[in-house]
Amino acid sequence: MYSGRATAVTTRMKRVISTSVAALLLTTLGSACPVCDSALGQEVRAGIFDGRFALTWLEVIAPFPILALILAAMHWGLRD
Amino acid sequence: MEMDPSDAHYTTGTTRETRKPLIMAGTILGIGLGGFVDGILFHQILQTHNMLTARLPKTTIPNIEVNMFWDGMFHAFTWIMTAIGIALLWRAGARRDVPWIGKIFVGALFLGWGLFNLVEGIVDHHILNLHHVIERYGQSGYDIAFLLSGVVFIVGGILAIRSARSQGTPVTLR
């Protein structure tokens, strides 16, 4: 059971969250996101999924498999 | 406290310590945090480069947004490294045979940060040419300085870890 005070706080929090979400969705920058349907959003989406997506992805994450190999070498090679 | 007689620490009164779990946790955490330093400092605060600025200069809004997407992809992986580091640190902290020595942990953090700078610098700045430290200068002395910072952090980290080892700090039971 919630007390009256707790219910009031919950209602206030709901208002703050819903206002924040609405403000976020209504901003111009929000409409420029790559998943939005604006002209800019479509342009950004085309820039990301440009036919080289998989290759670019591999290039962007390339340092991490190398670091993982170094960590594996450390794990197996490190003496206590 | 009730002790398990099968526990080697209890039956012998001594313990064989292992520092590897703390070093590995610190190194992985250092890689993750080093990645975040790069992303937060160079990509966001100073804005000297983004992930693909050597190919997609930040001259148009779509280019900026595409770069932001790939920055996010890169940060997702640094986040994964950080999360793994925290999990390993948590596990190491629960082990009684792992000495809790700050110098080893900080040394490992620097080792990881240095590894990140060195590998990311070689791969992204020099081999793949995805971006450079100061993009408007292209490949420059700043890229070399970034690599050197990696070497300095690695050497400093290893020295810190080794000096803590040589001190022979006794194991403290937690």
Side-chain angles (χ1 to χ4, degrees):
Chain A
M1 285 290 282
Y2 290 113
S3 69
R5 193 174 168 187
T7 310
V9 170
T10 309
T11 309
R12 211 176 305 146
M13 281 184 68
K14 277 181 185 170
R15 274 191 204 143
V16 169
I17 291 167
S18 57
T19 308
S20 304
V21 169
L24 185 70
L25 291 175
L26 290 172
T27 54
T28 316
L29 285 176
S31 66
C33 72
V35 291
C36 297
D37 210 22
S38 64
L40 183 55
Q42 286 176 6
E43 206 176 333
V44 172
R45 205 155 52 234
I48 294 167
F49 303 104
D50 59 352
R52 286 172 40 94
F53 179 84
L55 183 63
T56 308
W57 187 82
L58 285 173
E59 287 176 325
V60 166
I61 66 137
F64 293 98
I66 296 168
L67 286 164
L69 283 176
I70 294 170
L71 289 168
M74 274 177 66
H75 178 73
W76 300 114
L78 212 62
R79 282 176 298 140
D80 281 333
Chain B
M1 191 176 88
E2 197 172 311
M3 299 191 85
D4 178 5
S6 65
D7 187 339
H9 307 294
Y10 170 72
T11 52
T12 65
T14 59
T15 182
R16 189 174 163 273
E17 65 180 36
T18 171
R19 294 161 185 206
K20 198 159 82 172
L22 187 60
I23 294 171
M24 292 305 297
T27 306
I28 296 174
L29 203 48
I31 289 171
L33 293 177
F36 281 129
V37 169
D38 185 335
I40 293 167
L41 186 65
F42 294 115
H43 295 212
Q44 293 173 328
I45 295 176
L46 299 177
Q47 300 185 16
T48 58
H49 69 256
N50 290 88
M51 205 60 219
L52 298 181
T53 40
R55 294 178 185 175
L56 292 170
K58 294 192 294 179
T59 47
T60 63
I61 296 289
N63 277 9
I64 291 170
E65 296 237 350
V66 172
N67 269 294
M68 198 184 289
F69 173 86
W70 290 112
D71 283 355
M73 196 59 75
F74 184 78
H75 285 136
F77 276 80
T78 60
W79 185 91
I80 289 169
M81 297 302 276
T82 307
I84 292 171
I86 291 170
L88 290 178
L89 187 64
W90 180 269
R91 285 178 60 177
R95 286 177 59 170
R96 294 199 301 169
D97 59 340
V98 178
W100 209 238
I101 301 172
K103 205 169 184 181
I104 290 181
F105 180 59
V106 173
L109 283 176
F110 272 94
L111 172 60
W113 189 4
L115 283 173
F116 173 85
N117 283 8
L118 192 62
V119 172
E120 197 270 342
I122 291 171
V123 173
D124 289 351
H125 305 169
H126 295 276
I127 297 175
L128 298 175
N129 275 303
L130 297 183
H131 60 256
H132 304 99
V133 176
I134 311 286
E135 197 58 72
R136 63 197 170 103
Y137 296 150
Q139 215 166 58
S140 67
Y142 289 101
D143 291 341
I144 303 297
F146 192 76
L147 295 182
L148 285 177
S149 75
V151 174
V152 169
F153 290 165
I154 289 170
V155 172
I158 290 171
L159 288 176
I161 292 167
R162 286 193 172 214
S163 72
R165 275 173 190 260
S166 61
Q167 283 169 8
T169 312
V171 175
T172 52
L173 297 181
R174 290 182 297 276

